[in-house]
Amino acid sequence: MRITRVAGAFAGIAVAALALTACNSGTPGADPSQGGDEPAENPWTVATDVTLEGSPTFDAITSRGSVNIGVKEDQPNLGYLDPTTGERSGFDVDIARWIAASLGYDEDKIEYTVVDSANREQAIINGQIDYYVGTYSITDERKEQISFAGPYFITGQGLLVAADSALTGVDDLTADTVVCSVTGSTSIQRIKEETPSKTVELSKYSECVEQVKNGQADAVTTDEAILIGYAANDPDNLKVVGEPFSEERYGVGIVKGDTAFVEHVNTLFTDGGDVWQEIFDKNLGAAGVDGTQPAVDPAE
Ligand code: GLU
């Protein structure tokens, strides 16, 4: 098995996941210091009189008068749509909103489009979305088709299993283990290449979680930051096990060659003061995920 161990920075995540239940009972995004039902104020401000020379993405946004952002909506704490309130929340969604605000667009001028992992590059190439923020790892293969700003977060691949499962980590996977993941993800690719397990490929991680709950699959594999959200929502039935076994560097997906837009987003991440931290604390930190803001890599 050629699994790379990534210890240190991520090692605390699985442990933290076990202690999550107590922290996750509040409304996602609610600021306890505010009390009552008042929504917390955003840590960013909406810019005015923005110009961005030489960016086809910015030109398209300007002529349309709204921003079209590609997101996930079934990943609690990252990209989530509350079916009852209709509210979107999560670290990725807030990063996406922060970028929109830096271009001069508030929530009422944002359109969200759900794009599954397998369809991200095509949605960016087609111009169906202006940019994508949704647990999107920067890879060389994807960089042949699109550009990335970032990284803005780093996590690692892990395993989610039933609470009563005997599996303790990736080394326990055998030819008899059924592991579910998502088409077009780095997670499915790595588990196929580096373990002997049987695999099931679906469109969304929430569908894989259902497979584990009803016994059709033994494990879900993807980024720990994603898995921790599912475990926290159902700690009686699910747990995250083992140590992370990859490094996933999240980037903002942008049409290939729009360097002006990439530079704008990278500058926002670099010069954004406390905004990144506030977005992280509210969404992932509150859920027990460890993390520090990574330096952007202009070479992406
Ligand atoms: N970060 C990994 C990827 O981009 C897995 C999560 C996802 O599919 O969004 O492939």
Side-chain angles (χ1 to χ4, degrees), residues 39-46 94 97 101 106-107 275 278-279 282:
E41 263 188 34
N42 293 323
W44 56 80
T45 47
V46 180
D94 278 349
R97 287 172 170 147
D106 209 346
E107 190 69 13
V275 177
E278 291 197 34
I279 292 174
K282 168 182 151 189

Side-chain angles (χ1 to χ4, degrees), residues 3 21 34 37 64 89-90 135 142 159 189 191 203 264 288:
I3 293 286
T21 33
Q34 300 264 322
D37 292 332
R64 196 187 310 119
S89 63
T135 61
R142 290 172 181 164
L159 289 180
Q189 201 177 338
I191 215 75
S203 308
H264 172 83

Side-chain angles (χ1 to χ4, degrees), residues 171-242:
D171 291 338
D172 289 346
L173 301 180
T174 66
D176 294 325
T177 333
V178 179
V179 181
C180 186
S181 197
V182 160
T183 309
S185 66
T186 55
S187 322
I188 190 76
Q189 201 177 338
R190 184 170 296 101
I191 215 75
K192 279 180 165 175
E193 284 171 8
E194 302 186 5
T195 76
S197 16
K198 291 192 193 66
T199 51
V200 180
E201 277 189 53
L202 301 175
S203 308
K204 296 176 191 294
Y205 294 106
S206 51
E207 297 167 352
C208 283
V209 172
E210 285 312 307
Q211 293 240 328
V212 165
K213 284 180 135 179
N214 65 30
Q216 285 175 276
D218 299 303
V220 183
T221 189
T222 188
D223 307 335
E224 278 208 335
I226 302 173
L227 299 178
I228 283 170
Y230 294 124
N233 280 354
D234 194 357
D236 291 341
N237 294 307
L238 299 168
K239 63 182 178 185
V240 177
V241 292

Side-chain angles (χ1 to χ4, degrees), residues 42 44 90-99 279 282-283:
N42 293 323
W44 56 80
F91 177 70
D92 283 335
V93 170
D94 278 349
I95 292 282
R97 287 172 170 147
W98 180 27
I99 296 169
I279 292 174
K282 168 182 151 189
N283 294 291

Side-chain angles (χ1 to χ4, degrees), residues 72 75 92 115-118 120-121 132 134-139 142 148 155 157 181-190 203 205 221-223 226 246-251:
K72 298 278 184 78
Q75 299 181 178
D92 283 335
V115 183
D116 292 336
S117 296
R120 293 182 284 208
E121 289 82 45
Y132 188 91
T135 61
Y136 200 11
S137 298
I138 300 169
T139 69
R142 290 172 181 164
F148 283 102
T155 180
Q157 187 168 345
S181 197
V182 160
T183 309
S185 66
T186 55
S187 322
I188 190 76
Q189 201 177 338
R190 184 170 296 101
S203 308
Y205 294 106
T221 189
T222 188
D223 307 335
I226 302 173
S246 76
E247 184 179 80
E248 306 298 319
R249 302 162 70 247
Y250 288 175

